[in-house]
Amino acid sequence: MKIDWSGRSHNFSSRDINYLVNVIKKADPLTQGKYLKKFEFDLSKYLNVKNVFALSSAAAALEIISILLNIKKNEEIIIPAHTYCASAIPFARNGAKIIWADINIETRVVDVEDVLKKITSKTKAIVVVHLYGFAFDIAKLKGRIKNKKIKIIEDCAQAFGAEVNNKKVGTQGDFSCFSFHAQKNITTLGEGGAIHVKNPFLAKKVSGLRLNGHSQYSTKRKNYWLPAMVNLEEDMANKWPYKFTLSEIQCAAGIVMLKKLDKLNNYRIKRAKRFINFFKNHKEIIFNKNFNNKRHVYHLLSAYCVPSKNFNRDSLIKLLYKKFKIKCVIQFYPLYRYPLFKKKGFGKANCPNTEKFYNNMISFPFHIWMSNKQFKYLTNSVSKSIKILKN
């Protein structure tokens, strides 16, 4: 491959590596220590919210959120069908009935009007996914359901640092999750995530739920762990805790990368703008154009391929791979098509835009460490491929 689909979004600098090596040498303990506290403090400061906790993944955060919701039998969770499966699995596992919402074909994130149609008296929560790096406007949804006791869950796994009206994703909902996986805009050495819980009472339960029910003594002996289950209250007495912790070296990596997040996101936006503007006269591929005010931080660079007699998504992917040695991918398989969701009774959906977009979308390689020479080659190769297929 001249440009492969990388599982690594960015690299660490020599300065970063030296810092992390020093942490490896000196950190004691190697987990649940001062770097965890520092990372959580920095995350809270960056988001300008309280009650942010570092975890092993965004999926872990969603698992804890599903517990904190205290889902009862037949209660419904509305989730976009066009997203990664981790956005839905925890809620299904904890007994919710999944209702699939459609996306807006232009923004590629959940459609407000479709969500409103699917709200019932049994709706417990709505999962909003800020997909591909694009920030959904939470305020618009909140304004339409303000008289209903429905929780809003922000899945920010792909859009850390994105903003709507100067408010960062993950700060407007009742719960939020963030991902620091290797492919995300920043990473904690391959795996990692965070959770934000708006309700301070529920937030107190997170530390126990992420560490086998352990909690600290509320005394000056701050580093002594109480070897007992945290009190999850009677309404959660049947919920078992997990082990969703990050190591000190991972938290240290998060500390150094968080300092770079805005710079890295601005670089992504700059590159995306160059790429998208290059194809502004090509009617064959349509992008989500949102360069201003960090509405889109371009975790991924996806496009909708307009099918015609001689051109379609599959032919473009095939040509880029065979002739130009560039690997592209298709995202995201509609969740109601998965055998697992079908078997569990969640195989029915009315999501025409989800079908239309999935059947015609392409995602171009967009790792930030791609050289300028490679990026230019990618741009020119896509242009050449479109011209070849049109003729």
Side-chain angles (χ1 to χ4, degrees), residues 47-306:
L47 295 168
N48 194 28
V49 294
K50 297 178 181 180
N51 306 323
V52 180
F53 304 86
L55 301 169
S56 54
S57 67
L62 289 167
E63 199 71 51
I64 289 178
I65 290 169
S66 68
I67 292 175
L68 294 176
L69 280 174
N70 200 20
I71 301 166
K72 302 291 194 305
K73 186 177 180 180
N74 293 323
E75 286 186 324
E76 299 172 352
I77 308 289
I78 299 175
I79 302 174
H82 184 70
T83 182
Y84 184 58
C85 58
S87 299
I89 289 174
F91 303 102
R93 181 169 23 233
N94 281 277
K97 180 180 179 182
I98 306 299
I99 305 298
W100 302 116
D102 205 0
I103 58 170
N104 180 292
I105 198 68
E106 294 181 0
T107 64
R108 293 90 191 256
V109 295
V110 69
D111 182 77
V112 174
E113 298 303 324
D114 191 64
V115 167
L116 295 175
K117 293 176 184 177
K118 292 171 179 176
I119 291 176
T120 71
S121 60
K122 296 180 180 179
T123 302
K124 181 84 169 186
I126 300 167
V127 177
V128 172
V129 184
H130 305 284
L131 204 62
Y132 299 111
F134 179 73
F136 174 86
D137 192 344
I138 295 291
K140 288 186 176 180
L141 177 60
K142 290 176 73 174
R144 303 288 293 275
I145 63 169
K146 59 184 179 181
N147 295 323
K148 302 179 184 294
K149 294 181 180 180
I150 299 174
K151 302 299 183 182
I152 295 178
I153 300 159
E154 292 187 66
D155 185 335
C156 314
Q158 296 191 12
F160 191 30
E163 299 176 359
V164 179
N165 298 323
N166 297 317
K167 294 182 179 179
K168 290 184 172 62
V169 297
T171 62
Q172 302 301 300
D174 297 284
F175 304 93
S176 304
C177 75
F178 305 87
S179 175
F180 310 129
H181 180 269
Q183 287 187 311
K184 298 304 192 295
N185 291 32
I186 64 168
T187 183
T188 47
L189 298 179
E191 297 287 356
I195 183 175
H196 169 238
V197 180
K198 188 175 183 179
N199 184 305
F201 174 75
L202 293 177
K204 290 179 181 179
K205 302 177 187 292
V206 174
S207 292
L209 287 171
R210 74 173 170 185
L211 186 52
N212 293 328
H214 285 241
S215 63
Q216 288 180 304
Y217 279 123
S218 57
T219 68
K220 293 181 180 179
R221 301 169 69 182
K222 296 180 180 179
N223 293 322
Y224 191 83
W225 288 95
L226 175 65
M229 301 299 289
V230 69
N231 182 11
L232 297 180
E233 310 299 336
E234 289 186 8
D235 63 335
M236 298 180 69
N238 64 334
K239 304 296 184 182
W240 290 98
Y242 287 87
K243 182 67 163 60
F244 287 151
T245 48
L246 277 183
S247 69
E248 288 289 87
I249 186 64
Q250 288 179 286
C251 291
I255 291 168
V256 298
M257 295 310 299
L258 184 58
K259 294 176 181 178
K260 300 181 178 184
L261 177 59
D262 287 339
K263 181 179 178 180
L264 293 171
N265 281 344
N266 288 335
Y267 186 69
R268 286 178 175 276
I269 294 169
K270 183 179 179 180
R271 267 197 167 176
K273 187 174 184 178
R274 284 170 52 194
F275 192 87
I276 293 171
N277 284 342
F278 187 88
F279 294 96
K280 63 183 179 181
N281 294 322
H282 288 69
K283 297 180 180 181
E284 292 78 16
I285 53 176
I286 302 173
F287 295 88
N288 183 347
K289 304 174 185 177
N290 281 277
F291 308 122
N292 299 323
N293 302 318
K294 294 179 70 175
R295 180 73 184 272
H296 202 321
V297 292
Y298 292 94
H299 161 59
L300 296 167
L301 186 59
S302 64
Y304 177 82
C305 295
V306 181

